[in-house]
Amino acid sequence: MTAFDCEAPRPLPGGARNALTIQAPADRMRELKRELTKKRRFASDASHELRTAVAGLRAELEEAGLHPGETDLGDLVVRALRDVDRLDAIITDLRAIAEMESGPPPTPQRVDLAELVRDEVARRSDRIAVRLRLEAGLTVQAVPIRIGRLLTNLLDNAQRHARRLVEVRLSGDGGHAELTVADDGDGIAPSERERIFQRFTRLEPARRLDRSGSGLGLAIARDIARAHLGSLRAEEADTGGAGFVLRLPLAGPRTQEGKT
């Protein structure tokens, strides 16, 4: 019979580093579980919002069907279209989220922010004219369609809450461009300035002013900012209402033949 030497286990080279390596799969599993929980919660919230909009539309039509002689057709169409607008807003925003979370991101390019802002504002037809105060020559590496979407979401929000003024300001701040969309509405309470960036969150004033919103616009705007290595925050504007401040890192000098 062959005898074997049994030695006490020897410590692995690297000490604590190996312990961290061994723990890494468990950490990764916890991260995956958190992500799965987050996605399930999002799917549940999205389903709830869609069902609520459909239920409202169904109730309007069923009531009209039960009492056709008492139904004002014009009023029914207006209310039904309002519910359709809400469904369309939710579906459009869900599609935007899906595009950002799946597949490789689009290739960024050099974007002159002042030009992008002017182009986006010129395409709009708003109840309040947007006042622009833009510093020229601020260039960032970005996906134009997504920064355009971010700006659109912020302007939509400002137009919803403004009384007489919506303003977009752009300036340089060290190595960053800072773009602010401000209004002269009631503003946002400090305790709510982070919560409004959560998906499907709509404060009571927003619900009162516009029933068709999805509660996703500001969340999408922040996701876009972070995807561009930037940030988006809400604060009190010097115009008296809300100010949404986007910070993006400035692009480096233009390269020549692919070399810096």
Side-chain angles (χ1 to χ4, degrees):
M1 187 163 85
T2 308
F4 294 92
D5 247 355
C6 295
E7 298 179 348
R10 297 179 181 177
L12 293 171
R17 285 178 297 176
N18 285 302
L20 290 174
T21 303
I22 293 170
Q23 291 172 3
D27 294 339
R28 178 60 177 159
M29 184 60 68
R30 284 192 290 271
E31 182 183 338
L32 290 172
K33 286 182 177 179
R34 284 195 297 269
E35 188 65 23
L36 180 59
T37 300
K38 179 180 174 182
K39 288 186 180 297
R40 284 175 173 168
R41 186 182 301 118
F42 174 65
S44 175
D45 290 344
S47 174
H48 173 74
E49 292 294 324
L50 289 168
R51 287 178 64 120
T52 300
V54 170
L57 180 58
R58 179 184 291 277
E60 300 278 4
L61 297 176
E62 287 180 346
E63 181 68 18
L66 289 173
H67 308 286
E70 302 173 15
T71 300
D72 184 318
L73 182 59
D75 183 56
L76 173 65
V77 169
V78 169
R79 286 183 278 119
L81 285 174
R82 188 168 54 201
D83 289 327
V84 170
D85 286 343
R86 186 179 178 203
L87 278 168
D88 183 65
I90 294 172
I91 292 168
T92 298
D93 286 341
L94 288 175
R95 181 178 178 182
I97 290 172
E99 288 175 350
M100 286 191 292
E101 293 186 348
S102 64
T107 303
Q109 60 192 66
R110 294 178 68 89
V111 176
D112 184 306
L113 278 179
E115 290 182 5
L116 183 145
V117 171
R118 290 191 188 94
D119 289 345
E120 291 296 327
V121 170
R123 279 196 283 266
R124 298 174 61 89
S125 178
D126 289 316
R127 67 182 183 91
I128 298 174
V130 179
R131 187 168 72 186
L132 301 179
R133 295 167 58 187
L134 309 176
E135 180 180 330
L138 297 176
T139 303
V140 298
Q141 286 290 127
V143 180
I145 192 170
R146 291 195 174 171
I147 296 298
R149 175 63 184 270
L150 185 159
L151 179 60
T152 292
N153 289 2
L154 296 185
L155 286 171
D156 287 348
N157 183 76
Q159 291 287 339
R160 185 180 301 120
H161 293 276
R163 295 187 178 95
R164 291 176 296 277
L165 174 67
V166 174
E167 180 179 81
V168 179
R169 298 191 298 271
L170 175 64
S171 60
D173 180 20
H176 289 76
E178 189 167 281
L179 186 150
T180 301
V181 178
D183 63 66
D184 62 346
D186 292 331
I188 305 165
S191 60
E192 303 285 5
R193 288 176 189 166
E194 274 301 305
R195 193 166 78 87
I196 57 172
F197 291 106
Q198 296 174 6
R199 292 174 177 179
F200 296 112
T201 296
R202 300 195 76 209
L203 304 183
E204 184 53 38
R207 292 181 182 276
R208 185 173 63 250
L209 292 168
D210 181 11
R211 284 184 52 199
S212 67
S214 69
L216 290 170
L218 294 178
I220 290 172
R222 176 170 274 186
D223 285 347
I224 293 172
R226 287 176 171 172
H228 286 79
L229 305 180
S231 63
L232 178 64
R233 70 179 188 273
E235 60 181 32
E236 182 179 356
D238 55 16
T239 53
F244 287 85
V245 183
L246 169 68
R247 283 176 61 85
L248 294 174
L250 291 170
R254 187 178 296 276
T255 60
Q256 294 181 354
E257 298 180 358
K259 299 180 181 181
T260 57

